[in-house]
Amino acid sequence: MDTSRLKKLLLDGDPEFWKLLKLQTLEARAFDELFLLSSLRKKAHARHLAPVVVLEKIRLALLGGYSLYPFHDLLEHFCEVEGIRCELWQGSFDNYISEIMDEASALYAFAPQIVLLMPSEHRCRYPGNLTDSREEQQAEANRVVHSLLELIGKVHQKTGAEVIATNFMLPARHDLGAFRSRTMGSDWTFRKWVNLELGLNAPPYLHICDLEFLAHRHGGIQSRDERGWFESKQPCSPALLVDFAREAAHLIGSLRRAPKKVLALDLDNTLWGGVVADDGLEGIELGDTSPRGEAFKAFQKYIASLQQRGVLLAVCSKNDHARAAEVFEKHPEMVLRMDDIVSFKANWEPKSENIRQMAADLNLGLDSFVFVDDNPAEIEIVRQFAPEVTTLLLGPDPSDYVAQLQDCRLFELRSITAEDAERTSQYLSENRRKALSATITDMGSYLESLEMEAIITEFTPVDVPRLAQLINKSNQFNLTTRRRTEADILALMRDPDCVAFSMRLKDRFGDHGLISIVIGQVAGTTLKIDTWLMSCRVLKRQVEEEVLNELARLAVKRGCLRLEGLYLPTAKNEMVRDFYPRMGFTVTAENEKLREFELILKSFQPVLTKIKVTRRAYEPN
């Protein structure tokens, strides 16, 4: 790795230093390369060369059964590349149990927002005999899991922090031979069981940093450094330490950002081999009759599996629309069909413009899109004219396409809900609603024809994953854009002064699912609206009016005389700048950073809507 230009930018005080630093960090793999880049980053801060982008700051506590140096330095570096500046607290070597259990420890005085715990693998061994019964060995493994979850629960309860915990690397030597898999008393099987149970029993505030997987990906022998353990208590080899720090930073970053929502796909030489306009339906490569055709089919199968995670699929291709659609409709080996695609743009317009039109049609931001193409020129056009879109250039070999998409890490979810699997059908139903609205000129008649029904309910544990998803990815119709983790939502549910509810909506075309969230705080005779967000898919369906009806009803029930609303402007929520005045609120304060509003409840009359509400919040079923 050549760092000469990076050093020159640093000496010149050129802000381009940060852009190149990020690029070289993403490309670097060796420990010494990353350590050098980290030292240059620290020199830039010492010279007061500020990053162009304002970094989010978090308080991060590191503790565990290993030396935290130089891991903490690599982690701090990767986090900054992720856009996060860390204020670090480091625990003592192998003192994490005492640091967590002692309520007067420096850990709790630090009040971390995120805790990274690295439990010692030396405490993850079966202490008995290999000949002990499976029941004894399994009971001990479960005890290890329970003890870990108890520690993690304690630190979360005391700090409210999200916790990232590593699981355990597996042994990579031939010890015990094939017998290692026949007893839970072996380190191999014991740790596999502990890792599995730890992940399956993880509460919402716990996120697993999968060292077992990272070591497997890197290579078991290469992942360990026994000399490093004996000399300086390192958790793993320097090479794996880089991957470990990178993964931990990725997890920390993922707590602060939403995954991508739309995968926009090229067609020729992306979903099939050849050019359909030249080769015809029968001439393209697709299916099990050739290695390349099988690779393209496997790629389609993986793409189809992304729908179960809630990823929307779109087509963006320079092609004749009829010829392109014919492949989806008639080719017997096609895995993807027209019903899987929420937006199909096959024409001769620039792909950047097609993606912009898709974003408008779907009511999504351009930064929600990932565009995949095999043509570098098309990728470059999208990068230049729709820079918010993330692009992925496929290589020349279709057998690598699945791996490229799997390793891009753009569609990883912290949780998967039943509604994720239904997202494509929700958008296709929306297309049918739009077709109906085009035939009816009277809005009232159109809304009535939808036969809408709503359920309004207080936050419930079963909805927590979906609530967190919507809170963390809603940008446009979001008055304050305050993000919350699943742990934060659970804490709100325990707050007696909190009013928090969600709304589900369905109509004769299908179920929209959970589409609106409100969080308020009772303060004397005022209900302060902390969060009000809604899916843009249900704009102008009178959802806003029905939510306000519910807010007023609950405020009066709590003895409140007024509602207080707040608008915090962002780059994406301009559409709701004047939302409160449109709903009858009065401006009480205004500056560049916020707008405050109030609604006097004695003058409020509930709005009659075309929505039939079958249940309201905080009421018996």
Side-chain angles (χ1 to χ4, degrees):
M1 180 180 64
D2 183 6
T3 59
S4 56
R5 181 164 176 259
L6 191 63
K7 292 176 180 177
K8 185 178 186 306
L9 291 172
L10 174 59
L11 291 173
D12 292 344
D14 191 331
E16 282 292 306
F17 167 86
W18 294 105
K19 184 177 179 180
L20 183 59
L21 179 73
K22 179 175 182 177
L23 180 63
Q24 293 198 346
T25 296
L26 294 174
E27 294 175 346
R29 290 294 179 267
F31 174 84
D32 56 347
E33 293 176 342
L34 266 304
F35 205 70
L36 172 59
L37 292 174
S38 180
S39 67
L40 292 174
R41 172 185 57 84
K42 288 187 281 188
K43 288 180 180 178
H45 283 300
R47 289 172 174 265
H48 304 290
L49 179 57
V52 177
V53 179
V54 178
L55 303 178
E56 180 183 1
K57 294 183 179 180
I58 62 165
R59 293 187 306 280
L60 172 64
L62 307 180
L63 57 162
Y66 308 94
S67 171
L68 301 174
Y69 179 86
F71 172 79
H72 82 281
D73 200 56
L74 295 177
L75 177 61
E76 187 176 29
H77 181 76
F78 281 124
C79 281
E80 191 156 329
V81 167
E82 288 268 355
I84 298 171
R85 190 80 187 272
C86 294
E87 180 184 350
L88 286 177
W89 180 90
Q90 299 176 58
S92 304
F93 163 69
D94 204 24
N95 195 37
Y96 60 95
I97 295 177
S98 296
E99 288 163 341
I100 291 174
M101 297 308 294
D102 180 7
E103 297 192 0
S105 72
L107 167 66
Y108 296 124
F110 177 67
Q113 295 168 287
I114 298 175
V115 172
L116 175 56
L117 172 63
M118 296 172 271
S120 171
E121 73 172 31
H122 300 282
R123 290 195 173 92
C124 190
R125 286 176 173 158
Y126 182 63
N129 299 317
L130 292 175
T131 55
D132 288 345
S133 69
R134 173 181 171 179
E135 289 73 20
E136 291 176 286
Q137 295 168 344
Q138 190 168 318
E140 176 62 20
N142 291 338
R143 186 200 64 78
V144 171
V145 173
H146 177 75
S147 297
L148 264 176
L149 291 176
E150 204 170 38
L151 283 173
I152 290 163
K154 173 78 171 179
V155 73
H156 170 72
Q157 181 186 16
K158 287 291 294 178
T159 64
E162 298 287 303
V163 181
I164 298 171
T166 61
N167 58 13
F168 301 98
M169 290 192 295
L170 304 183
R173 298 297 177 181
H174 283 297
D175 187 40
L176 286 181
F179 188 69
R180 78 176 71 87
S181 296
R182 298 174 64 90
T183 172
M184 282 194 65
S186 70
D187 284 352
W188 171 267
T189 308
F190 191 81
R191 287 179 188 163
K192 282 205 296 185
W193 182 273
V194 168
N195 288 347
L196 179 63
E197 288 296 305
L198 182 62
L200 292 178
N201 291 284
Y205 53 80
L206 172 59
H207 313 275
I208 304 298
C209 185
D210 198 345
L211 270 186
E212 178 187 355
F213 169 78
L214 292 176
H216 167 75
R217 181 179 168 91
H218 187 73
I221 298 293
Q222 291 76 22
S223 295
R224 292 191 172 274
D225 181 3
E226 300 303 336
R227 176 179 291 181
W229 167 253
F230 290 120
E231 289 183 349
S232 59
K233 299 298 180 279
Q234 293 301 303
C236 56
S237 68
L240 183 60
L241 200 68
V242 171
D243 289 345
F244 175 19
R246 194 189 302 270
E247 179 70 11
H250 175 78
L251 288 173
I252 291 168
S254 71
L255 295 175
R256 295 294 193 270
R257 63 168 180 263
K260 301 297 182 180
K261 300 175 184 177
V262 185
L263 177 61
L265 298 153
D266 177 45
L267 296 180
D268 295 327
N269 293 310
T270 297
L271 290 189
W272 54 72
V275 178
V276 68
D278 297 334
D279 302 321
L281 185 68
E282 301 81 7
I284 61 173
E285 290 182 279
L286 179 64
D288 300 329
T289 56
S290 72
R292 277 178 58 84
E294 190 175 355
F296 283 113
K297 187 174 180 179
F299 186 48
Q300 288 195 30
K301 286 180 178 178
Y302 179 71
I303 290 169
S305 74
L306 294 178
Q307 287 183 300
Q308 297 301 311
R309 308 181 195 177
V311 177
L312 301 173
L313 306 181
V315 164
C316 184
S317 172
K318 283 191 174 177
N319 232 310
D320 177 78
H321 186 279
R323 299 295 296 274
E326 185 182 28
V327 183
F328 285 80
E329 294 165 346
K330 296 182 179 180
H331 199 291
E333 297 284 357
M334 276 293 288
V335 176
L336 299 174
R337 297 294 179 178
M338 291 298 281
D339 283 348
D340 297 312
I341 309 300
V342 298
S343 182
F344 196 99
K345 303 286 186 186
N347 52 43
W348 305 106
E349 298 299 320
K351 292 186 178 181
S352 54
E353 290 305 309
N354 277 333
I355 295 175
R356 288 186 180 278
Q357 186 59 53
M358 287 179 188
D361 293 343
L362 298 172
N363 276 323
L364 294 173
L366 284 171
D367 59 352
S368 300
F369 283 73
V370 176
F371 173 60
V372 174
D373 202 317
D374 68 298
N375 188 331
E378 297 293 348
I379 289 287
E380 185 58 31
I381 287 171
V382 172
R383 283 178 178 168
Q384 286 193 28
F385 295 100
E388 304 93 333
V389 176
T390 300
T391 57
L392 183 62
L393 175 64
L394 297 174
D397 186 353
S399 66
D400 290 333
Y401 286 4
V402 171
Q404 282 188 259
L405 205 51
Q406 287 175 326
D407 278 348
C408 74
R409 311 206 68 176
L410 297 168
F411 300 106
E412 295 179 3
L413 297 175
R414 294 196 294 274
S415 62
I416 298 177
T417 68
E419 289 189 7
D420 292 325
E422 299 298 322
R423 191 153 294 129
T424 294
S425 63
Q426 290 173 352
Y427 275 85
L428 293 174
S429 296
E430 180 61 18
N431 290 338
R432 292 193 290 272
R433 293 183 191 97
K434 288 180 179 178
L436 173 64
S437 68
T439 66
I440 301 177
T441 57
D442 176 61
M443 179 57 73
S445 299
Y446 166 65
L447 293 176
E448 192 156 7
S449 72
L450 289 177
E451 301 172 9
M452 294 180 288
E453 289 188 9
I455 295 175
I456 303 175
T457 181
E458 66 276 9
F459 284 5
T460 61
V462 72
D463 280 337
V464 166
R466 174 59 179 154
L467 292 167
Q469 278 186 5
L470 201 54
I471 288 172
N472 289 305
K473 71 183 182 182
S474 296
N475 293 307
Q476 297 179 78
F477 195 109
N478 194 331
L479 275 301
T480 55
T481 321
R482 287 171 173 158
R483 307 307 192 188
R484 284 184 168 86
T485 64
E486 293 185 23
D488 294 331
I489 295 168
L490 290 169
L492 289 174
M493 292 166 60
R494 297 189 293 267
D495 184 350
D497 293 325
C498 179
V499 172
F501 63 87
S502 63
M503 180 174 175
R504 295 178 178 274
L505 185 70
K506 66 179 181 179
D507 58 34
R508 67 186 179 96
F509 290 105
D511 193 340
H512 290 279
L514 198 157
I515 46 84
S516 188
I517 292 172
V518 173
I519 299 170
Q521 198 76 18
V522 176
T525 58
T526 299
L527 178 59
K528 297 183 177 182
I529 305 169
D530 171 279
T531 296
W532 189 342
L533 61 88
M534 189 178 78
S535 169
C536 290
R537 289 183 287 115
V538 293
L539 279 173
K540 299 181 180 178
R541 304 278 172 82
Q542 298 186 322
V543 171
E544 307 96 307
E545 287 82 359
E546 203 58 69
V547 168
L548 180 56
N549 290 346
E550 185 70 358
L551 259 173
R553 184 185 73 85
L554 292 174
V556 171
K557 191 174 180 180
R558 291 292 195 102
C560 296
L561 303 178
R562 62 192 289 271
L563 295 176
E564 183 179 290
L566 176 66
Y567 168 69
L568 300 177
T570 70
K572 297 181 180 179
N573 72 352
E574 174 68 21
M575 69 179 294
V576 291
R577 173 181 172 79
D578 296 316
F579 171 72
Y580 278 120
R582 291 199 303 270
M583 301 302 289
F585 286 67
T586 303
V587 177
T588 56
E590 184 173 10
N591 56 48
E592 292 182 355
K593 295 183 177 181
L594 60 83
R595 303 184 78 198
E596 293 180 347
F597 307 86
E598 72 170 5
L599 178 67
I600 305 302
L601 290 169
K602 69 178 181 180
S603 61
F604 174 75
Q605 292 295 323
V607 181
L608 293 176
T609 72
K610 303 295 184 181
I611 300 173
K612 178 183 178 182
V613 179
T614 59
R615 184 186 186 275
R616 295 195 174 274
Y618 301 98
E619 289 188 346
N621 288 328

